[in-house]
Amino acid sequence: MSLSKWVNQRVPVSDFFDHHLRQYYVPKNLNIWYLFGVFAMVVLVNQLLSGFFLVMYYTPTGDDAFSSVEFIMREVPYGWLIRYLHTTGASAFFIVIFMHMYRSIMYGSYRKPREILWLSGCILFLSLMAEAYTGYVLPWGQMSFWATKVIISIIQLIPIGGEAIAQWVMGDVSVSEVTLHRFFAFHVILFPAIILAMVFLHIIFLHCVGSNNPDGVTPKQIIDGVPKGYVPFHPYITTKDIAYVTLFLLLFLAVVFYAPRMGGYFIEAENYAPANPLVTPAHIRPVWYLSPFFAILRAIPSQSLGAVAMVLSLVLLFLLPWLDSSPVRSIRYKGPYCQVALGIFVVSFVGLGVVGNLPPSHWVTILGRAFTLGYFSFFLLMPLYSRFDRFKRPPGVSGL
Amino acid sequence: MSVVSLLLALLWASDILAAGRLVQYEPLDVEITDMAAVKRGADFFATHCHVCHTMKYAVDDPITKAAGIVDRDPLVLDGHEIPDLSLKALEYSPEHIYTYLQAYYVDEDSPTGYNNLVMVNTKMPNVLQALQGEHRLLVEEVEKNTPLPRLYEVIYKTKPGQVTSEEFYDNLDDLMHYLIYAADPSEVDRLSIAPWVLSYLAILFILLFVIYLRMKKSYE
């Protein structure tokens, strides 16, 4: 008896691969926006592997954390490569995930029947933010320390239980090396476990409902059990993905080799000074991928309302499937209101990211408020503008 | 709640470092693979800077060791530890340090006799004065103008140093090579590995893309 037969009689491995690769069909018209999912998987693997090697040398104590990172950078063979892969990977993760989410927003991939798929993605996004933030604390530089102080103070603004949660997260009465050790536990055990579990579910959910596509329509016609215009995941998508993943790695490693600090955006200059509770840095700014949400916090004159707005800006993502009342999914067939709204959303989100990183001035405040308004309008007015907008009938669809 | 307010206020706070500077940064072009310059810079550091400053994280580096820079506890001056310089080229921009070292001028009101146009009221004495010579302000007082003036627009040399201005700039240029190298020695490795890895991936991408196109054709 062959080994494969022996295994398949016990665990149906071949059936599994048929079901999820060879006979799993996806639309042929998936464009380059559909590559960011697999890029995210590549970055996830990169983070897990590089993180695994970093943990071998990193020491999560107040006295040694900073110098253990420098030890990795200088003394560990190729330690610099492992660390830069990890730090560049963190930023790459957000670039890729922002594109992946924007694709879903653009083509209506959150609409029925993919609501649960979208929700699992939103949970993944929040977990990723928590993972990135707890990781940012670990080098125990000045910005690690003071950014933690700021985030803890935001948690303290929660009206009920805020103080208790903050104290549990800190493990102390103020941010200390106990906090550092705790964040290490969050970063290497809790959040990676949540992310891995959610990624697994995200793919399961995807395979239950199948991929959306740039036209946002599901073909009714089935030929030989395959929907019209669909291709098998393997070899069609696997070949395509492997080619583009190589291109992605090329760009990713170019950053790792030539600009791993990205002018202070991927690794901030202030973090090259060890954490010092007695010296406040001149300008505390959030890391770039959290910047849009900090800009919302800063745009609202009241601090507690600012914190509420920041939380709301994330909650609204979860509600997206129920805010969109358009009869079509994809922006290609939506009318001018939806198209303008999407444009405003993009400008607002990028704008928030930019102003969140600028030192405050009159114009920064005004722009921050305008972009905050733009961001919230996209979501909160969607039930209206998507309902009353014109729309075009996608090709090959008789009724909607 | 007052602590919370203070911390959140920091998010609004302006960049004091940028606000404190009164001149533009002088342009600096560092070719980190120029190891001769890095070595000269390490020697310069050992002679002129190591008297007070340490290079904590770089002491095991062969170039640092060869220059005679040793591991020791930082000195304390007026209750302040004298900064370790091993990561300063990353914490501040190299241009910042490069301009800072050129920006001393005579100021009788200052305890050290000199003040600085990049870090106003700096505690560090003008240690390179013998080498560089002495500068005075061209104007009564430098105001914070926009755009910031260049260094040569606000100070002029009143006393020559042991070396010519050109030699002095060359010395600082070497020093910056060393400080940048010491802050992240991996840059030398990174730049030498990068072309190989990236060319490999570029060729691999072309081959894989051709396979993808051929496979795609078979589905049409």
Side-chain angles (χ1 to χ4, degrees):
Chain A
M1 197 192 298
S2 73
L3 180 66
S4 73
K5 202 172 172 191
W6 186 88
V7 172
N8 276 306
Q9 276 176 354
R10 285 150 184 87
V11 179
V13 178
S14 296
D15 287 353
F16 178 85
F17 282 119
D18 280 346
H19 192 69
H20 290 285
L21 291 172
R22 285 186 284 262
Q23 287 156 23
Y24 174 73
Y25 297 100
V26 293
K28 203 176 160 190
N29 62 342
L30 298 187
N31 56 21
I32 51 165
W33 286 100
Y34 283 81
L35 292 165
F36 291 99
V38 71
F39 291 168
M41 294 279 283
V42 170
V43 179
L44 177 66
V45 171
N46 171 68
Q47 296 308 88
L48 289 171
L49 283 179
S50 55
F52 169 69
F53 286 107
L54 288 176
V55 170
M56 290 183 186
Y57 297 98
Y58 171 75
T59 316
T61 59
D63 284 343
D64 294 331
F66 190 88
S67 48
S68 71
V69 172
E70 282 307 314
F71 180 79
I72 291 167
M73 291 299 288
R74 291 156 194 271
E75 305 302 323
V76 176
Y78 290 98
W80 58 267
L81 179 62
I82 294 164
R83 178 168 183 243
Y84 280 149
L85 284 172
H86 202 72
T87 54
T88 311
S91 283
F93 221 148
F94 278 90
I95 294 170
V96 164
I97 288 298
F98 283 145
M99 300 298 236
H100 187 64
M101 293 173 79
Y102 177 64
R103 189 281 321 271
S104 298
I105 292 173
M106 198 166 40
Y107 298 141
S109 304
Y110 49 81
R111 298 289 297 275
K112 188 188 169 190
R114 298 186 181 83
E115 297 96 323
I116 295 177
L117 177 61
W118 169 258
L119 292 179
S120 69
C122 289
I123 295 171
L124 262 173
F125 177 55
L126 292 190
S127 316
L128 185 66
M129 286 171 87
E131 174 69 357
Y133 165 63
T134 49
Y136 186 70
V137 173
L138 301 184
W140 210 230
Q142 271 291 65
M143 206 45 77
S144 301
F145 182 85
W146 290 94
T148 311
K149 282 253 187 197
V150 170
I151 298 251
I152 296 280
S153 59
I154 294 168
I155 296 174
Q156 284 170 328
L157 290 174
I158 301 170
I160 304 155
E163 284 291 336
I165 297 170
Q167 197 159 338
W168 180 74
V169 170
M170 283 190 288
D172 204 338
V173 287
S174 69
V175 175
S176 71
E177 70 169 336
V178 183
T179 320
L180 171 65
H181 218 126
R182 209 159 266 221
F183 274 40
F184 180 62
F186 288 138
H187 186 73
V188 301
I189 306 278
L190 182 68
F191 292 127
I194 294 175
I195 287 173
L196 279 177
M198 288 310 299
V199 166
F200 179 74
L201 286 175
H202 196 62
I203 293 168
I204 297 279
F205 295 157
L206 171 66
H207 282 221
C208 290
V209 288
S211 289
N212 185 32
N213 61 72
D215 281 337
V217 289
T218 319
K220 301 267 189 304
Q221 201 183 346
I222 310 281
I223 304 158
D224 295 335
V226 181
K228 188 168 181 262
Y230 275 47
V231 286
F233 191 85
H234 181 76
Y236 195 96
I237 298 293
T238 44
T239 320
K240 182 183 180 182
D241 280 359
I242 288 170
Y244 279 108
V245 161
T246 314
L247 182 64
F248 173 73
L249 286 176
L250 177 76
L251 298 173
F252 178 72
L253 286 169
V255 175
V256 168
F257 288 132
Y258 290 112
R261 293 178 293 272
M262 199 51 91
Y265 283 97
F266 288 7
I267 300 178
E268 278 155 330
E270 295 87 342
N271 236 15
Y272 281 100
N276 186 347
L278 302 175
V279 178
T280 320
H283 173 207
I284 298 184
R285 58 182 181 139
V287 65
W288 75 267
Y289 42 76
L290 300 179
S291 187
F293 305 99
F294 272 93
I296 291 174
L297 172 81
R298 206 163 67 163
I300 312 288
S302 147
Q303 281 164 13
S304 8
L305 286 179
V308 170
M310 190 171 71
V311 173
L312 195 63
S313 70
L314 293 165
V315 170
L316 283 172
L317 285 171
F318 286 76
L319 302 179
L320 202 53
W322 297 278
L323 295 173
D324 191 346
S325 314
S326 175
V328 289
R329 287 197 193 109
S330 171
I331 196 70
R332 287 184 178 180
Y333 303 104
K334 282 179 176 172
Y337 296 167
C338 289
Q339 286 172 352
V340 168
L342 185 67
I344 290 174
F345 170 73
V346 173
V347 171
S348 302
F349 189 73
V350 174
L352 283 168
V354 173
V355 298
N357 246 284
L358 292 176
S361 69
H362 180 62
W363 281 107
V364 163
T365 308
I366 289 177
L367 283 173
R369 286 179 185 162
F371 292 141
T372 304
L373 190 68
Y375 180 93
F376 280 103
S377 306
F378 171 74
F379 291 97
L380 295 174
L381 298 179
M382 190 182 271
L384 292 175
Y385 67 73
S386 63
R387 184 182 300 269
F388 298 112
D389 203 1
R390 292 199 304 271
F391 68 93
K392 282 183 280 188
R393 204 170 288 281
V397 176
S398 47
L400 284 162
Chain B
M1 214 54 181
S2 63
V3 179
V4 176
S5 309
L6 172 76
L7 284 166
L8 287 178
L10 286 169
L11 283 172
W12 280 257
S14 63
D15 193 331
I16 293 166
L17 198 69
R21 164 162 69 100
L22 297 172
V23 286
Q24 278 181 42
Y25 288 145
E26 292 299 310
L28 173 69
D29 188 18
V30 170
E31 194 74 53
I32 199 63
T33 45
D34 182 358
M35 295 317 281
V38 172
K39 282 179 185 141
R40 287 196 303 270
D43 290 338
F44 186 89
F45 185 95
T47 318
H48 295 93
C49 317
H50 193 40
V51 180
C52 299
H53 292 286
T54 48
M55 288 298 280
K56 185 177 173 186
Y57 298 108
V59 284
D60 290 328
D61 175 75
I63 293 175
T64 305
K65 265 188 179 156
I69 299 162
V70 293
D71 193 10
R72 59 150 202 254
D73 288 336
L75 299 179
V76 177
L77 180 75
D78 296 339
H80 292 277
E81 262 185 21
I82 294 178
D84 179 81
L85 298 188
S86 41
L87 293 166
K88 281 285 181 261
L90 293 177
E91 187 188 342
Y92 297 96
S93 69
E95 287 80 8
H96 176 88
I97 303 170
Y98 180 65
T99 314
Y100 169 64
L101 292 174
Q102 301 173 33
Y104 279 95
Y105 63 90
V106 174
D107 177 6
E108 277 83 13
D109 298 337
S110 161
T112 62
Y114 296 92
N115 208 330
N116 193 289
L117 291 163
V118 172
M119 291 176 90
V120 178
N121 298 331
T122 180
K123 286 200 180 71
M124 183 169 116
N126 187 8
V127 287
L128 301 179
Q129 178 257 328
L131 209 60
Q132 184 194 16
E134 213 167 64
H135 287 85
R136 283 177 189 271
L137 287 184
L138 272 169
V139 283
E140 281 280 302
E141 200 175 338
V142 184
E143 307 220 337
K144 195 167 166 50
N145 294 317
T146 6
L148 293 172
R150 288 285 297 274
L151 207 47
Y152 65 80
E153 292 173 312
V154 284
I155 54 172
Y156 68 109
K157 195 169 232 175
T158 51
K159 211 196 285 175
Q162 291 161 359
V163 296
T164 64
S165 294
E166 284 69 32
E167 283 172 311
F168 181 71
Y169 295 140
D170 285 347
N171 284 332
L172 288 190
D173 196 72
D174 291 343
L175 177 66
M176 292 319 302
H177 271 79
Y178 172 64
L179 286 179
I180 293 168
Y181 164 81
D184 183 10
S186 82
E187 192 169 347
V188 180
D189 288 344
R190 280 193 271 127
L191 296 182
S192 71
I193 296 172
W196 298 98
V197 175
L198 301 183
S199 324
Y200 171 78
L201 285 170
I203 295 164
L204 188 65
F205 169 67
I206 293 167
L207 292 174
L208 289 168
F209 200 74
V210 168
I211 293 174
Y212 162 60
L213 289 180
R214 292 190 62 159
M215 186 277 313
K216 195 179 172 193
K217 217 172 179 180
S218 71
Y219 278 87
E220 273 157 13

